[in-house]
């Protein structure tokens, strides 16, 4: 396993200074907790009247620090809604969701934004790299959002890009990179600010099988650490082997959680 | 992050150039339109402008501009001269006459009769000729006054003063030595002048006050204006007030009379109203284009803002990014537009005698309003960024 030295943690220091984010920051970042995520009875409904769709119907889920958990299930079962709530970008209608010891319901909009910026890394299905920025600049964005100087942010970005094997393509624009390389940039961007939770939405669905496996290997090799949890939403049964546990969702609920090694029947 | 905002803006070259082009074009359009309007208005008070030596214009109390006049009794000149603070006062006659050209064609002229003694107010003549030529009997100086091809006389001797008009005969520009008939009185052309173009455009005929009285149709009163200069130490406004108080005539300092004339055009001239309406439509279109383009730029980048929002960018940060993008576009576009307007305006004014006058407030109007429209567009588009649900960054949303 490659261990990336954390960036001089300006982001975390900043969070420590945030008086309105309650609790001990070391605690809040999950350093003393086994659980990175704890959801109880989470519900979420979209629309009203006839158009009403109940995306989550009381989800209970726990994700441990240091593990890679995959959320699997058919389209429309609520996987994306669940990770949106866990990533603090969507509010549940009811239930409790505690992420890195923060009860998200008690955070204001700006506190949620700070929380996401400091504690969460994102990997998107469509990569969502900023097309006008080079690989280094894209990876530096989370650090810049957290107030790190450009020089330090880009130095850290180069370090992470080298760790994911893109040391030779630092100045390339997203359009000049292959799909696999773009996803590696996205992974580097998710890791750059040393978050304690990484949320990946279908990271391999736009990649061929071989590239998708490489991607998961990189994510596991570079992204995993004892104090960090990874959640991967996926349809791709061929990458189940990279999971520590797999939570299968159906119709807005987690119906089964199995160890990665015991996932044969899910494929 | 502001650098990231600029790279987001400039990185998409096609959009950026399109946006700049739109803002540049709008600034150019608005500034050019305003300068064009100022040019027209300046031509409207050209008679006042070319009599730079006059501090105060004295006229019948009913007169409000150089465009619509009423004559005064000849005694007004002496009354003005008697006012304390008047250093000198000269008469000026204005009238309209149909001049008959040698081929039988008729052409209306504005006849301007200047003081016989001083010839004050005669514009510079072409080829360096002296205005003293007006002292010759029946002499007049002609000027196109912003018109084209109106001062043409027959080229051939055979086409001059024929029993029947020779309207299709070949022509040449009217020159010194040619003759015209005005109200059956002979007028001998002493030269052509380079007076300020007029609005509305019309040929001008400068002659002495006495000759103007001779060639214009007889009227009981012929004195249109008295042009007074102030003795040293007396301000024009103060002298105007004094002349009005002593004579009962309307007296206006030159600058005030220019402003009166502009106001008169704005309230009385249908042409000005039409021009203003046309320019307003052009400006509105320009503003609309600018606003929509800026809004569209932010709107098309909503996904990128959503990604930044998901990654923890605060509303304040996103607003700052939008402000930087809008500010750069607006300032660069406005600068380019103003530069283009000044360059092109000067070019067309010098080469095509175009009524273009870029006054101090026209760049402010053009650049300022474009910046304001940009700010408004940014505010509207910022609203959608602030209300943006970052969850759209995930697949399926």
């Amino acid at each position: 396993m490659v261990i990336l030295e954390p960036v001089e943690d300006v982001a975390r220091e900043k969070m420590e200074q945030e008086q309105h984010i309650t609790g001990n920051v070391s605690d809040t970042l999950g350093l003393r907790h086994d659980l990175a995520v704890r959801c109880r009875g989470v519900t979420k409904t979209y629309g009203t009247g006839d158009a009403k769709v109940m995306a989550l119907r009381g989800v209970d889920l726990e994700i441990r620090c240091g593990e890679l958990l995959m959320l699997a299930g058919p389209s429309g079962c609520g996987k994306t809604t669940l990770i949106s709530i866990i990533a603090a970008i969507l509010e549940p209608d009811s239930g409790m969701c505690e992420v890195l010891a923060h009860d998200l319901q008690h955070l204001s909009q700006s506190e949620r934004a700070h929380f996401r910026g400091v504690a969460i890394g994102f990997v998107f299905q469509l990569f969502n790299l900023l097309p006008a920025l080079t690989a280094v600049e894209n990876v530096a964005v989370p650090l810049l959002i957290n107030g790190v100087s450009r020089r330090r942010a880009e130095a850290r970005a180069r370090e992470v890009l080298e760790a994911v094997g893109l040391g030779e393509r630092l100045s390339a624009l997203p359009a000049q990179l292959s799909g696999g390389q773009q996803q590696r940039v996205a992974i580097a961007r998710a890791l750059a600010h040393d978050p304690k939770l990484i949320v990946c939405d279908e990271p391999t669905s736009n990649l061929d099988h071989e590239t998708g496996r490489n991607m998961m290997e990189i994510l596991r090799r570079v992204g995993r650490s004892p104090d960090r949890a990874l959640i991967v939403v996926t349809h791709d049964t061929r990458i189940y082997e990279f999971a520590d546990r797999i939570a299968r969702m159906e119709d807005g609920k987690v119906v089964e959680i199995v160890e990665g090694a015991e996932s044969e029947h899910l494929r | 992050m502001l650098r990231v905002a600029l790279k987001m803006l400039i990185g998409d070259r096609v959009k950026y150039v399109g946006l700049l082009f739109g803002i540049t074009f709008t600034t150019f359009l608005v500034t050019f339109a305003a300068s064009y309007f100022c040019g027209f208005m300046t031509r409207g008070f050209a008679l006042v402008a070319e009599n730079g030596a006059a501090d105060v214009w004295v006229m019948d109390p009913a007169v409000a501009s150089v465009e619509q006049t009423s004559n005064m009794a000849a005694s007004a000149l002496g009354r003005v001269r008697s006012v304390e603070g008047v250093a000198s006062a000269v008469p000026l006659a204005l009238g309209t006459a149909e001049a008959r050209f040698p081929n039988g064609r008729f052409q209306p002229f504005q006849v301007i009769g200047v003081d016989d003694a001083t010839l004050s107010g005669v514009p510079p003549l072409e080829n360096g000729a002296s205005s003293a030529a007006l002292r010759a009997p029946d002499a007049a100086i002609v000027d196109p006054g912003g018109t084209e091809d109106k001062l043409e006389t027959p080229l051939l001797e055979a086409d001059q003063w024929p029993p029947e008009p020779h309207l299709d005969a070949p022509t040449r520009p009217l020159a010194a030595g040619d003759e015209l008939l005005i109200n059956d009185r002979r007028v001998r052309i002493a030269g052509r002048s380079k007076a300020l173009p007029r609005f509305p455009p019309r040929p001008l005929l400068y002659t002495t006050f006495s000759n103007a009285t001779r060639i214009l149709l007889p009227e009981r009163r012929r004195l249109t204006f008295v042009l007074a200069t102030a003795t040293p130490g007396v301000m024009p406004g103060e002298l105007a007030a004094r002349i009005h108080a002593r004579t009962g005539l309307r007296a206006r300092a030159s600058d005030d009379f220019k402003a009166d004339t502009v106001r008169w055009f704005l309230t009385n001239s249908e042409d000005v109203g039409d021009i203003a309406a046309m320019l307003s439509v052009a400006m509105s279109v320009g503003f609309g284009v600018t606003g929509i383009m800026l809004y569209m730029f932010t709107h098309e980048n909503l996904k990128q803002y959503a990604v930044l929002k998901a990654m923890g960018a605060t509303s304040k940060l996103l607003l700052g990014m939008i402000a930087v993008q809008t500010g750069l576009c607006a300032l660069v576009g406005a600068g380019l537009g103003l530069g283009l307007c000044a360059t092109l305006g000067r070019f067309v004014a010098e080469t095509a005698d175009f009524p273009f006058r870029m006054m101090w407030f026209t760049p402010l109007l053009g650049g300022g309003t474009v910046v304001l429209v940009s700010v408004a567009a940014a505010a509207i588009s910022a609203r959608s960024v602030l209300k943006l649900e970052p969850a759209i960054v995930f697949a399926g949303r």
Side-chain angles (χ1 to χ4, degrees), chain A residues 120-123 139 142 185-195 197-199:
Chain A
I120 298 179
F122 293 89
V123 179
V139 174
V185 175
I187 290 171
R189 181 175 65 181
L191 291 167
H193 53 304
D194 193 25
L197 177 66
I198 296 182
V199 176

Side-chain angles (χ1 to χ4, degrees), chain B residues 44-62:
Chain B
F45 58 73
L47 181 69
V48 185
E50 70 188 12
N51 279 280
D55 293 322
V56 175
W57 287 64
V58 186
M59 63 209 87
D60 184 273

Side-chain angles (χ1 to χ4, degrees), chain B residues 236-368:
Chain B
E238 180 191 342
L239 181 61
R242 201 180 292 170
I243 292 171
H244 173 67
R246 300 278 165 79
T247 65
L249 298 168
R250 185 161 193 263
R252 301 288 285 163
S254 284
D255 286 344
D256 295 336
F257 194 37
K258 288 177 187 172
D260 290 348
T261 300
V262 170
R263 259 193 300 277
W264 184 89
F265 273 114
L266 293 176
T267 51
N268 292 285
S269 167
E270 283 77 14
D271 291 343
V272 170
D274 293 344
I275 293 168
M278 189 184 72
L279 298 182
S280 301
V281 170
M283 288 166 146
S284 305
V285 169
F287 289 147
V289 168
T290 302
I292 289 170
M293 286 185 78
L294 275 167
Y295 176 80
M296 290 302 290
F297 177 79
T298 307
H299 197 75
E300 284 170 9
N301 285 335
L302 274 184
K303 189 84 186 256
Q304 294 183 34
Y305 286 114
V307 171
L308 295 174
K309 206 167 184 178
M311 290 196 298
T314 58
S315 298
K316 190 177 162 190
L317 181 58
L318 294 176
L319 282 179
M321 292 176 72
I322 293 170
V324 163
Q325 290 172 338
T326 307
L328 182 79
C329 278
L331 292 177
V332 173
L336 288 174
L338 292 179
L340 181 67
C341 181
T343 307
L344 194 66
R346 191 186 172 112
F347 177 74
V348 293
E350 286 179 358
T351 59
D353 197 25
F354 200 78
F356 179 88
R357 188 181 181 202
M358 201 165 175
M359 295 181 75
W360 64 269
F361 57 83
T362 49
L364 284 182
L365 180 73

Side-chain angles (χ1 to χ4, degrees), chain A residues 25-207:
Chain A
V25 172
S26 300
D27 284 353
T28 63
L29 293 177
L31 301 179
R32 294 183 192 168
H33 290 263
D34 289 340
L35 287 183
V37 177
R38 192 160 66 97
C39 295
R40 286 281 177 272
V42 173
T43 67
K44 180 69 184 176
T45 304
Y46 296 112
T48 54
D50 292 342
K52 192 171 171 180
V53 176
M54 200 154 184
L56 297 181
R57 298 167 183 267
V59 169
D60 296 329
L61 180 67
E62 289 181 351
I63 304 170
R64 295 188 284 264
C65 288
E67 82 167 337
L68 191 160
L69 180 127
M70 286 189 184
L71 270 179
S75 292
C77 70
K79 304 184 296 290
T80 300
T81 301
L82 181 58
I83 57 161
S84 298
I85 289 170
I86 291 172
I89 59 179
L90 195 64
E91 291 184 42
D93 293 338
S94 65
M96 184 275 292
C97 191
E98 201 175 78
V99 179
L100 304 173
H102 278 97
D103 185 350
L104 299 181
Q105 277 181 307
H106 292 120
L107 298 184
S108 66
Q109 284 298 327
S110 62
E111 286 169 343
R112 290 166 82 91
H114 280 301
F115 177 71
R116 287 197 300 271
V118 171
I120 298 179
F122 293 89
V123 179
F124 306 105
Q125 178 181 356
L126 299 173
F127 321 137
N128 284 332
L129 301 176
L130 301 182
L133 305 188
T134 63
V136 166
E137 289 166 337
N138 262 295
V139 174
V141 164
L143 293 161
L144 295 174
I145 288 173
N146 284 318
V148 177
S149 71
R150 186 162 68 89
R151 197 172 52 79
R152 288 172 64 192
E154 291 189 357
R156 166 69 177 173
R158 276 190 286 274
E159 186 186 320
V160 187
L161 278 168
E162 278 162 15
V164 298
L166 281 178
E168 305 297 314
R169 307 304 311 270
L170 299 176
S171 301
L173 293 170
Q176 298 166 328
L177 298 172
S178 67
Q181 288 173 324
Q182 286 190 53
Q183 196 58 301
R184 277 193 273 164
V185 175
I187 290 171
R189 181 175 65 181
L191 291 167
H193 53 304
D194 193 25
K196 297 304 164 206
L197 177 66
I198 296 182
V199 176
C200 310
D201 183 36
E202 306 274 10
T204 60
S205 69
N206 268 24
L207 306 173

Side-chain angles (χ1 to χ4, degrees), chain B residues 195-234:
Chain B
L196 298 173
R198 298 302 206 261
F199 174 75
R202 61 197 151 197
L204 308 171
L205 190 139
Y206 289 89
T207 187
T208 57
F209 189 88
S210 58
N211 200 33
T213 307
R214 184 181 68 88
I215 63 176
L216 290 171
L217 290 174
E219 280 187 61
R220 195 163 60 87
R221 297 171 167 186
R222 177 48 62 205
L223 180 63
T224 314
F225 292 107
V226 174
L227 312 188
T229 55
T231 52
V234 179

